[in-house]
Amino acid sequence: MKRMLSGIKPTGRVTLGNYIGAIKPFVSYQDEYEMFIFIANLHSMTVYQEPAELRKNTKDLIALYIAAGLDPERVTLFLQSDVLEHAQLGWYLGCMVSMGELSRMTQYKDKAAKNEVIGAGIFNYPSLMNADILMYDPDFVPVGEDQKQHVELCRDVAEKFNSRYSDTFKVPTPLVAKVGGRIMDLQNPTKKMSKSEETSKGCIYILDDINISKKKIKSAMTDSDNSVHFDKENKPGISNLLEIYSILTNRTIKDIEQQYVGKGYGEFKGDLAEIVGEELQRIQDKYKEITTGSYLDEVLKAGAEKARPLARKKLAKVERKMGITITKR
Ligand code: TYM
């Protein structure tokens, strides 16, 4: 069985973009792959997190993974900070990457362009991400489009390490869905839907009030053409809604376009609002069921126990090869 690994930061509330670009694909892969899915809480520290909020967002994220359909019996679900080896491997790999490579990462570049004070963590975090991935030798890393560049850097680092110290890491392949890999802001469809936007009108949060989310779909920015067809360049708003529709119904965009020939945006958006509403309702019902009692703690404990032995073994191998360990352990 091929292996997959991915993670999400518990920063802010989980968005429809995270759900469509990451969580939903994870659920669809779990029958075919051996999966490692984690909560990237070390990554969330690149910007200040109010501690109580971080705790809540972390719990919500693990609950959402399960509420969305991930089965902890089959998938290794864990909290990054429970496996200490990530940070240590991140240090070694950080020493193998150049300032130039890190400066080319879009997320860092975007922040740098804003001329604000930037924490060193934002600059360095791709190295920690490389460690998260290479630790477990996954064949594939499913991510949204914005993270593809990081997985490509990870491939370069793996190859560099393997050629310098002999074969140690599997070189992973990023997996970005053709549809849904970049869900856009509903009010500004040329920008990615993101939890960090100042106004939240263009962003749907999975645990938000469902009526508010439906309204956001109905008032999404579109064009004046009133014909439902996919054209990312000239009709970014409607194309974004078509991608959301397609992923949530498992239907092709072509098929959906056919259904709306001769019908206007009002009907299309109304139907999509219902589809989004039903999906959120299903997740929220399940979320309520699993957030009482100690179930989530047990899942995290079991997940960490499955991940740790692999991480220990990999780190020991890395340290042996690099000359860090001087005695046989
Ligand atoms: P994060 O937490 O920003 O996002 C989690 C996942 O959601 C995807 N995503 C989107 N997909 C489609 N449309 C959007 N609007 C959208 N917004 C976010 C992201 O591409 C991502 O797949 N550094 C990573 C977390 C991480 C990780 C890893 C991922 C840490 N270590 C190892 C994979 C492997 C991050 O900040 O993702």
Side-chain angles (χ1 to χ4, degrees):
M1 215 182 205
K2 297 256 187 207
R3 188 178 282 179
M4 255 187 196
L5 170 137
S6 199
I8 300 182
K9 281 190 308 253
T11 333
R13 295 174 290 159
V14 178
T15 69
L16 188 68
N18 297 133
Y19 179 67
I20 290 183
I23 302 178
K24 203 166 162 73
F26 299 165
V27 175
S28 72
Y29 293 134
Q30 67 183 340
D31 296 329
E32 271 174 80
Y33 295 90
E34 182 195 6
M35 302 210 44
F36 285 74
I37 300 293
F38 65 99
I39 293 138
N41 58 346
L42 298 183
H43 287 269
S44 64
M45 300 318 289
T46 53
V47 285
Y48 170 73
Q49 303 293 319
E50 202 281 308
E53 227 169 78
L54 179 60
R55 270 191 289 274
K56 160 112 179 74
N57 289 334
T58 305
K59 269 211 147 162
D60 278 354
L61 184 53
I62 179 89
L64 277 178
Y65 277 140
I66 300 169
L70 275 187
D71 174 6
E73 296 288 322
R74 279 184 287 165
V75 173
T76 303
L77 261 185
F78 65 101
L79 194 58
Q80 185 186 27
S81 60
D82 279 344
V83 185
L84 302 181
E85 285 77 4
H86 285 236
Q88 187 140 344
L89 182 59
W91 169 254
Y92 297 135
L93 298 181
C95 294
M96 292 192 60
V97 71
S98 70
M99 303 269 290
E101 283 172 304
L102 292 176
S103 317
R104 283 193 288 278
M105 297 294 111
T106 338
Q107 281 183 351
Y108 165 75
K109 277 205 313 207
D110 289 351
K111 292 258 181 212
K114 284 189 186 150
N115 249 338
E116 293 161 6
V117 176
I118 311 168
I122 300 261
F123 184 70
N124 284 322
Y125 100 87
S127 293
L128 181 59
M129 183 159 162
N130 292 341
D132 300 336
I133 298 171
L134 298 181
M135 189 77 90
Y136 301 96
D137 288 324
D139 297 278
F140 299 105
V141 182
V143 282
E145 217 166 85
D146 62 323
Q147 293 294 328
K148 190 170 174 221
Q149 193 188 25
H150 292 148
V151 185
E152 274 157 4
L153 176 68
C154 179
R155 289 172 61 86
D156 294 343
V157 171
E159 276 162 5
K160 191 169 177 184
F161 192 102
N162 289 348
S163 76
R164 193 181 276 179
Y165 298 106
S166 84
D167 225 19
T168 307
F169 297 123
K170 185 169 262 177
V171 181
T173 304
L175 215 62
V176 181
K178 283 212 177 68
V179 175
R182 188 172 175 84
I183 297 300
M184 309 307 270
D185 187 287
L186 299 173
Q187 288 304 319
N188 185 357
T190 52
K191 266 175 58 188
K192 188 186 76 155
M193 182 183 284
S194 161
K195 31 196 168 197
S196 52
E197 278 319 305
E198 309 82 51
T199 85
S200 63
K201 269 185 77 184
C203 182
I204 289 184
Y205 300 100
I206 302 298
L207 290 175
D208 237 9
D209 181 284
I210 290 178
N211 284 323
I212 294 182
S213 298
K214 284 183 175 175
K215 273 195 200 127
K216 287 181 181 172
I217 293 282
K218 286 186 189 156
S219 57
M221 165 90 89
T222 42
D223 50 78
S224 54
D225 181 31
N226 214 25
S227 118
V228 179
H229 70 263
F230 191 83
D231 176 351
K232 242 182 175 162
E233 191 116 314
N234 300 307
K235 295 161 72 70
I238 215 74
S239 303
N240 188 38
L241 296 182
L242 270 166
E243 290 205 28
I244 297 174
Y245 199 129
S246 164
I247 294 291
L248 295 186
T249 56
N250 269 326
R251 288 172 57 194
T252 63
I253 289 183
K254 277 246 147 357
D255 186 30
I256 301 163
E257 282 174 338
Q258 291 267 297
Q259 182 186 335
Y260 290 95
V261 172
K263 297 176 181 165
Y265 289 168
E267 185 171 342
F268 170 72
K269 285 185 187 174
D271 291 349
L272 179 59
E274 287 311 310
I275 291 164
V276 169
E278 276 167 32
E279 187 93 0
L280 296 185
Q281 190 68 62
R282 191 179 55 75
I283 298 173
Q284 291 185 10
D285 289 347
K286 183 87 196 195
Y287 167 89
K288 280 187 198 123
E289 234 176 77
I290 57 178
T291 40
T292 50
S294 59
Y295 174 65
L296 295 181
D297 297 335
E298 285 155 26
V299 167
L300 288 183
K301 186 164 177 277
E305 277 165 11
K306 279 198 265 173
R308 260 186 221 124
L310 296 178
R312 278 196 192 135
K313 198 166 162 207
K314 182 60 90 182
L315 185 67
K317 189 173 186 180
V318 166
E319 293 188 325
R320 229 174 18 247
K321 294 209 177 188
M322 292 180 106
I324 290 279
T325 347
I326 53 166
T327 51
K328 255 195 155 182
R329 281 190 224 155

